[in-house]
Amino acid sequence: MPSREVPLSLLHERVNAWYAESGRKELPWRAPDASPWGVFLSEVMSQQTPLARVEPIWRAWMERWPTPADLAAAAPGDAVRAWGRLGYPRRALRLHEAAQVMVERHGGEVPNSPEALLALPGVGAYTAAAVSCFAFGIPEVVVDTNVRRVLARTLEGKAFPNLTLNRAEARLAADSMPPDRGTANTWNVAVMELGALVCVARGPRCDECPVADLCAWNVAGRPAYDGPPRRGQSWHGTDRQVRGELLRRLRDAHASLPLAQLEDSADDRVQVMRCLDSLVADGLVEPLSRQRFRLPA
């Protein structure tokens, strides 16, 4: 349960007021006329990806595929190519598959219930809750890394939440929701934005925080984190980097490529072949005859 020392109604009031003044409402998927499809795309694209990188790709997708039916009619490889370098390119395939399901089962529309959203390919609990809230005004509990960090600091007095979401954290987030529907929907985006812009992981700007005097962690003198090591994700030399380079070459070619033009994507040819095999297994690359490869048709 949230700490009784923190008046939740005041927390909601201040965070929501801060968002009204300082939140990034200029983001296109936060516009009043944003379509549910636009919101759905933004939520999938922004997973583990900075919004500054997401916005130009989102705009390009919305111009090219303004409805689920438009994307469903395209080739899967077109989605992978248009994904660019957002990272985790399997999300592009899952978006294509989700669009096909929307056409087949939901009349070409984004489904408007958490249960139907959760049944879509590639959609987990966070995405289903976020789309329900931000596209349809259903006050589901939306919990991402930013929300978890704000709640851990403000209500529990900890520098960071646990490494992975557990039941206690999920219950804390649910118990922290405002009872009023409209206030709850604003809170979902406002507390997330506070974590993204002010209550950041490194170098939190507590002097700019609207609830600094309510924050249990700040009031306690911002005690240091004493939990398990929080290791950042490496990139250089990893399979993720090699997979990204293989996809880049296939995207740029706009055609199939022979193995000879792919096998030098890293110094270690064994690693390259392992990564190429994994891309084929994931459905991101299609093998052809005579050792040629392309994005899926």
Side-chain angles (χ1 to χ4, degrees):
M1 292 289 292
S3 169
R4 293 182 179 178
E5 298 178 0
V6 178
L8 287 178
S9 60
L10 184 57
L11 191 72
H12 301 148
E13 179 183 343
R14 289 204 197 163
V15 172
N16 285 7
W18 169 86
Y19 176 74
E21 182 176 342
S22 304
R24 293 172 292 182
K25 293 175 288 297
E26 73 281 0
L27 292 170
W29 49 85
R30 290 182 181 168
D33 60 349
S35 67
W37 173 240
V39 173
F40 184 86
L41 281 183
S42 74
E43 289 301 334
V44 175
M45 288 181 170
S46 60
Q47 293 169 14
Q48 303 183 62
T49 308
L51 295 188
R53 291 178 56 199
V54 169
E55 185 171 354
I57 303 298
W58 182 92
R59 289 185 181 278
W61 275 56
M62 286 299 293
E63 181 176 352
R64 185 173 183 180
W65 301 305
T67 70
D70 294 314
L71 178 59
D78 291 341
V80 175
R81 181 172 288 107
W83 191 254
R85 307 205 68 168
L86 278 183
Y88 303 99
R90 275 178 290 186
R91 290 181 291 172
L93 286 184
R94 300 295 87 81
L95 273 171
H96 186 268
E97 293 171 6
Q100 291 179 317
V101 172
M102 291 177 196
V103 170
E104 294 167 0
R105 303 180 189 172
H106 302 286
E109 302 290 341
V110 177
N112 61 0
S113 75
E115 296 76 19
L117 285 163
L118 197 56
L120 294 173
V123 172
Y126 166 80
T127 302
V131 175
S132 296
C133 175
F134 304 142
F136 300 110
I138 302 171
E140 292 288 295
V141 182
V142 181
V143 186
D144 74 346
T145 301
N146 291 316
V147 173
R148 294 175 62 216
R149 186 169 56 253
V150 171
L151 296 182
R153 289 173 176 172
T154 304
L155 300 179
E156 298 185 302
K158 303 191 302 185
F160 292 101
N162 297 318
L163 294 179
T164 57
L165 179 67
N166 58 27
R167 288 184 179 180
E169 281 188 319
R171 187 168 58 251
L172 177 69
D175 291 343
S176 302
M177 286 282 286
D180 173 73
R181 182 187 183 102
T183 305
N185 284 328
T186 302
W187 164 259
N188 272 333
V189 66
V191 69
M192 188 184 303
E193 189 81 332
L194 186 68
L197 300 182
V198 176
C199 193
V200 294
R202 296 183 181 180
R205 296 186 282 276
C206 296
D207 57 330
E208 302 175 21
C209 180
V211 293
D213 61 320
L214 303 178
C215 175
W217 181 63
N218 188 52
V219 171
R222 298 165 65 175
Y225 174 72
D226 60 359
R230 308 179 71 88
R231 299 182 177 88
Q233 291 182 324
S234 60
W235 169 254
H236 185 71
T238 63
D239 283 4
R240 277 189 62 208
Q241 182 186 31
V242 177
R243 281 165 56 100
E245 174 61 19
L246 287 165
L247 286 177
R248 183 195 67 79
R249 295 186 182 194
L250 289 168
R251 281 197 309 270
D252 292 350
H254 291 274
S256 66
L257 288 178
L259 179 61
Q261 293 184 32
L262 296 170
E263 58 188 355
D264 63 343
S265 295
D267 293 337
D268 185 349
R269 188 180 184 279
V270 172
Q271 182 185 28
V272 172
M273 296 306 298
R274 180 176 69 245
C275 291
L276 185 57
D277 286 344
S278 73
L279 289 171
V280 171
D282 288 342
L284 289 163
V285 170
E286 183 178 344
L288 305 174
S289 61
R290 303 177 68 177
Q291 291 193 310
R292 298 187 70 88
F293 298 85
R294 68 180 181 188
L295 297 181

